[in-house]
Amino acid sequence: MSVCPHCQAPVVEGLLFCEECGGPLVPVVEDMYTTSFTGQLSVLASQATLTLEGPGRWLLGRGRGTASLQGATFIDLSPYGAYMEGVSRRHALLEISPEGRAYLTDLDSSNGTWVDHIRLQPHRPFPLPATARIRLGRMVLQWQHLSP
Amino acid sequence: MSAKDFVDFYELLGLPPNASREDIERAFRALARQYHPDLNPDPEAQERFRLLVQARETLLDPKRRALYDQQWRHIQGRTFHPAPDQAEEPTIPIPEAPEAPAKATTPETAPILEQEWYVETLYSRPGPVENLVPQRFYALTRWRPPAPPTREPDRPLFLCLVVDRSTSMQGRSLQILRRILSQVLPTLSPQDIVALIAFDDRAELLVPPRPGNAPLVLQVLMRLRPRGATEFMPPLRMARELLERRPRSTLPWLLFFTDGQAYDQPVVLEWLPTLQKEHILIDAFGLGTEWDEAFLEQMATSTGGTVTYIHAYDEGAKALQERLVRLRRAYVFAAFLEWELPPEIQVRTIVRMAPDIGYYPSGRNTIALGPLMPGEWWQILWEWDIVQPLPLHHRIHLRSTIRAHLPDGRVWSHTQDFERPVVTAEDVRSYTPAREVIDAVQRLSWHRLQEKARKALRERRPRKAQHYLQALAHHLTRAGEIQMAETVRQELNVLRDRATLTAEGEKRLEYGTRRLLLPILRRRNAV
């Protein structure tokens, strides 16, 4: 059994916080308490940039009158040539979880979704790295996690 | 252009709608050889050839093809409902992805996402360490059932208010209750149904359930005269009968307000499985300081409900208001989680951290998770003790099944296997758990510190209690939980002056740290 570095009380193996003094026994992420999570999505070909503030869900697709998904905001990529680039009407779902993690889910699109050359399995949320190149069909987007 | 005049060029060329330019050119040449007027004298062939040329010209010009595809989809969509294998969307082919799935694209009118459960588990370590006892292990699991197919309209609510009117309610408790309900009830819609049951040592149905009767409930509440002792069984039985006869589309919701304890509490606890079976949701509201935390806790959590400590009316009104808004949107009315643990693991704590806080008594293997609203998930933090030394290469295995009951009586069920390998001490040395796990466990540790402080007080060790509260205030401040840190400091002053805490102080510590277990954003909206 080891001891707590803060109060020298004996601690059980596997504890994350000392039971006597509450001190951390693992590195604590200092920015853990930031409540706003933002990311930036840009369409490479047209330099259009969209800042997304989480938590939230965004449906990436094209076309007017496309019904969005429950609780998701629809992002219409038609102005950037989505149709010609093979983007489906409901192509992929971008999510920022309440904990600030970003996920991309392919919605069984016709031409597929790639994150940094990895093809996503349909309907399986894929955790996005801080910076990622997203490809919807042929359209290339850049994902950038801004804060925290 | 009508559907009749429209020529399906893809059909003509025998190509899928996402065919590439090369495909089109190749198909055109093959067919042109067959139908060229010079080679085929058939007059129909001549017409066919004309169409083939038209098809080629249209489809090889990106602009014209785009326009044509739009019409094509429009007509396809109107004239027949595509079979799953024909529902592929007409999109431009992409050279890099010739393997584009041949399988069906879901028709776009149907719900696409979340036909499956979303389940995610994060652990405090990659696995338990070999031959190490005792050992703590944490898992944070989230479940989200398939989303509702369409945005469902908000449902009318059925509120069964069960109100304590025993003598002790006289004065402040009753005053607070009246103010809370006079703030919340007027926000109900005319479709909402309210019933009012008041109880002392017997129960009385003061307002029977009817749509739009919230104003009447308020009037009756204002005239309520406290009297008599307290018994919990009679009003609960009566409430159950009312809830049994409610419209099936409404969530069976029992709101229990009390300021005290009753001798028949053990009977109630024994009877709770009946309510659980009927998916009745109990939310308990404790007024004043005399009520029994452990009892209300067990009553509420066994049905998936929550306990709210009300020491000021505005806080109580906010909590209730928020609950009303959320439950109106519930698309799962009740859910139960069941699991089998291997003998080498013991459950130490189970806390539901979302969508609402719930502390579950250990030593059981089924818990009620309560209703769920769109966009939310259930989140459980498990704290396990590894009680047997485990050999390397062994795997611990836990199977859990969740059953979600929908308003229409259907059940979504999901079974999940959690498996972890036993690892070496070296494997965990440099391992940092996911941020969510650290955050959740830290919040639990705050709650534990105040628990320890109160326990130390009961053991007449005020110095020790001070030590715990000081540590708690310190960590809360560092984490930016300034308001709660301030509350703790106030209690710390009381403790220094009088070497004890007030009953109210203890409840503020308990329920204040408990509220911090909620994910940050929900809490922000709630406060």
Side-chain angles (χ1 to χ4, degrees):
Chain A
M1 202 174 268
S2 45
V3 295
C4 168
H6 311 283
C7 70
Q8 272 68 50
V11 291
V12 176
E13 190 63 34
L15 270 180
L16 301 187
F17 291 88
C18 171
E19 289 185 312
E20 284 303 302
C21 72
L25 305 171
V26 285
V28 175
V29 186
E30 284 301 332
D31 61 9
M32 201 148 71
Y33 304 99
T34 318
T35 52
S36 162
F37 308 98
T38 51
Q40 212 170 50
L41 197 64
S42 19
V43 182
L44 278 198
S46 67
Q47 304 294 314
T49 292
L50 199 63
T51 302
L52 308 178
E53 196 173 325
R57 286 148 57 93
W58 294 270
L59 174 66
L60 307 178
R62 62 167 169 85
R64 223 177 296 151
T66 299
S68 190
L69 293 164
Q70 184 77 38
T73 310
F74 183 55
I75 297 180
D76 185 5
L77 297 169
S78 312
Y80 315 110
Y83 181 76
M84 295 306 292
E85 301 291 354
V87 177
S88 291
R89 272 172 287 170
R90 293 163 170 237
H91 198 110
L93 185 77
L94 183 78
E95 269 182 287
I96 301 181
S97 78
E99 287 77 20
R101 290 210 296 177
Y103 298 90
L104 189 68
T105 311
D106 176 65
L107 301 176
D108 213 350
S109 59
S110 302
N111 292 312
T113 304
W114 281 258
V115 173
D116 295 333
H117 306 292
I118 300 166
R119 179 158 192 172
L120 305 192
Q121 293 288 313
H123 302 303
R124 300 247 176 253
F126 184 91
L128 283 178
T131 311
R133 186 154 285 214
I134 298 171
R135 195 150 65 77
L136 309 176
R138 239 179 343 201
M139 178 178 280
V140 182
L141 306 168
Q142 181 71 29
W143 165 255
Q144 178 72 49
H145 192 91
L146 291 183
S147 71
Chain B
M1 190 193 293
S2 79
K4 206 167 61 179
D5 303 325
F6 185 84
V7 179
D8 190 340
F9 291 151
Y10 293 113
E11 201 191 356
L12 187 75
L13 294 169
L15 291 172
N18 60 353
S20 68
R21 294 167 63 93
E22 290 82 349
D23 289 343
I24 292 165
E25 192 66 59
R26 207 176 307 123
F28 171 75
R29 282 190 191 166
L31 290 165
R33 249 182 310 224
Q34 214 177 314
Y35 294 109
H36 197 282
D38 293 348
L39 304 168
N40 194 329
D42 191 341
E44 238 192 83
Q46 207 175 329
E47 169 64 9
R48 194 129 201 182
F49 184 72
R50 196 181 60 78
L51 289 174
L52 280 170
V53 173
Q54 208 185 327
R56 177 177 174 273
E57 277 169 11
T58 309
L59 298 183
L60 289 184
D61 180 343
K63 271 193 194 137
R64 285 175 66 185
R65 184 174 181 180
L67 194 70
Y68 175 84
D69 280 350
Q70 212 171 1
Q71 289 167 349
W72 185 89
R73 272 181 297 119
H74 179 71
I75 282 172
Q76 296 291 335
R78 203 172 55 185
T79 51
F80 69 97
H81 293 284
D85 60 327
Q86 292 172 296
E88 186 105 335
E89 218 186 73
T91 32
I92 313 297
I94 290 179
E96 306 96 290
E99 80 284 13
K103 73 185 212 25
T105 307
T106 318
E108 296 224 343
T109 45
I112 306 186
L113 187 72
E114 296 158 349
Q115 288 147 337
E116 306 171 36
W117 284 71
Y118 162 71
V119 184
E120 183 183 38
T121 303
L122 300 165
Y123 301 93
S124 60
R125 289 182 156 186
V129 176
E130 57 173 331
N131 299 319
L132 193 61
V133 170
Q135 196 181 154
R136 204 65 62 79
F137 196 70
Y138 299 92
L140 186 70
T141 309
R142 285 174 192 154
W143 292 267
R144 187 163 63 193
T150 49
R151 187 178 148 70
E152 293 185 41
D154 287 355
R155 291 169 189 283
L157 290 167
F158 190 107
L159 286 78
C160 189
L161 301 177
V162 176
V163 171
D164 192 338
R165 65 160 175 204
S166 60
T167 319
S168 59
M169 284 287 287
Q170 186 84 54
R172 187 162 179 263
S173 292
L174 191 58
Q175 204 58 38
I176 287 179
L177 175 65
R178 279 179 178 148
R179 287 191 68 178
I180 288 173
L181 290 175
S182 60
Q183 194 164 331
V184 172
L185 289 181
T187 67
L188 291 179
S189 84
Q191 283 83 42
D192 292 330
I193 302 168
V194 191
L196 177 64
I197 296 173
F199 69 96
D200 39 88
D201 42 25
R202 61 197 188 85
E204 198 179 338
L205 178 60
L206 294 182
V207 181
R210 284 222 179 85
N213 60 355
L216 179 62
V217 170
L218 258 187
Q219 280 174 24
V220 173
L221 208 58
M222 291 303 161
R223 292 199 302 263
L224 205 63
R225 293 270 165 271
R227 62 165 189 230
T230 315
E231 256 181 68
F232 289 155
M233 270 312 273
L236 287 173
R237 276 220 179 84
M238 185 181 272
R240 181 195 163 207
E241 275 170 35
L242 290 184
L243 288 169
E244 255 182 346
R245 295 199 302 266
R246 77 184 198 283
R248 286 291 126 184
S249 60
T250 56
L251 185 143
W253 188 18
L254 197 164
L255 296 92
F256 192 83
F257 297 87
T258 186
D259 71 331
Q261 309 185 10
Y263 78 90
D264 64 350
Q265 287 179 183
V267 190
V268 174
L269 293 183
E270 262 172 53
W271 184 67
L272 281 175
T274 314
L275 296 183
Q276 201 185 58
K277 234 174 266 155
E278 290 166 15
H279 303 164
I280 290 173
L281 175 72
I282 303 183
D283 279 338
F285 297 83
L287 296 147
T289 55
E290 295 306 306
W291 48 281
D292 183 342
E293 265 167 38
F295 167 74
L296 284 194
E297 202 68 55
Q298 210 174 330
M299 180 165 87
T301 50
S302 75
T303 68
T306 58
V307 181
T308 309
Y309 164 49
I310 297 174
H311 70 97
Y313 93 93
D314 50 343
E315 238 173 65
K318 255 181 209 160
L320 184 54
Q321 186 70 55
E322 199 226 11
R323 190 95 170 125
L324 281 170
V325 171
R326 288 178 55 243
L327 285 185
R328 226 181 251 296
R329 300 173 55 230
Y331 74 107
V332 174
F333 275 6
F336 300 92
L337 177 71
E338 199 180 295
W339 64 88
E340 293 158 36
L341 270 185
E344 58 265 29
I345 295 181
Q346 270 174 17
V347 175
R348 203 179 161 88
T349 320
I350 308 165
V351 188
R352 180 185 59 201
M353 299 184 120
D356 300 287
I357 298 298
Y359 259 80
Y360 296 96
S362 54
R364 54 178 66 192
N365 63 350
T366 303
I367 55 173
L369 293 174
L372 197 73
M373 284 45 84
E376 297 182 346
W377 49 43
W378 292 292
Q379 178 169 310
I380 297 285
L381 177 67
W382 318 73
E383 190 181 35
W384 294 329
D385 274 330
I386 310 290
V387 291
Q388 284 174 22
L390 302 170
L392 195 63
H393 306 307
H394 177 81
R395 300 181 82 85
I396 54 166
H397 179 253
L398 176 138
R399 164 165 291 191
S400 81
T401 300
I402 192 166
R403 293 168 65 79
H405 297 265
L406 307 192
D408 59 11
R410 281 183 301 149
V411 181
W412 276 325
S413 154
H414 180 84
T415 298
Q416 178 82 3
D417 287 302
F418 302 100
E419 215 181 52
R420 287 283 103 186
V422 175
V423 299
T424 63
E426 198 51 49
D427 291 332
V428 299
R429 190 152 300 147
S430 57
Y431 183 83
T432 307
R435 187 169 105 153
E436 286 94 328
V437 177
I438 298 179
D439 185 49
V441 175
Q442 179 168 37
R443 287 166 188 282
L444 183 63
S445 83
W446 295 338
H447 187 262
R448 285 277 160 74
L449 282 177
Q450 63 82 31
E451 239 171 27
K452 288 205 155 198
R454 291 162 57 203
K455 183 161 173 278
L457 266 186
R458 281 195 298 279
E459 291 163 356
R460 300 183 189 288
R461 297 164 70 196
R463 296 290 301 249
K464 190 88 186 149
Q466 266 187 40
H467 156 84
Y468 288 128
L469 288 189
Q470 259 157 8
L472 178 57
H474 168 76
H475 292 301
L476 288 171
T477 309
R478 274 202 62 180
E481 298 288 357
I482 305 302
Q483 210 183 332
M484 188 60 209
E486 197 43 51
T487 304
V488 174
R489 284 207 185 85
Q490 281 169 15
E491 298 310 323
L492 201 52
N493 286 340
V494 174
L495 185 59
R496 281 201 195 100
D497 290 353
R498 306 189 213 162
T500 184
L501 288 172
T502 59
E504 194 181 328
E506 287 206 33
K507 286 218 155 50
R508 279 168 68 165
L509 289 174
E510 163 77 34
Y511 286 88
T513 50
R514 179 182 293 226
R515 215 183 42 183
L516 296 186
L517 288 165
L518 266 186
I520 299 163
L521 274 135
R522 262 293 312 290
R523 184 148 36 86
R524 260 211 171 164
N525 296 337
V527 178

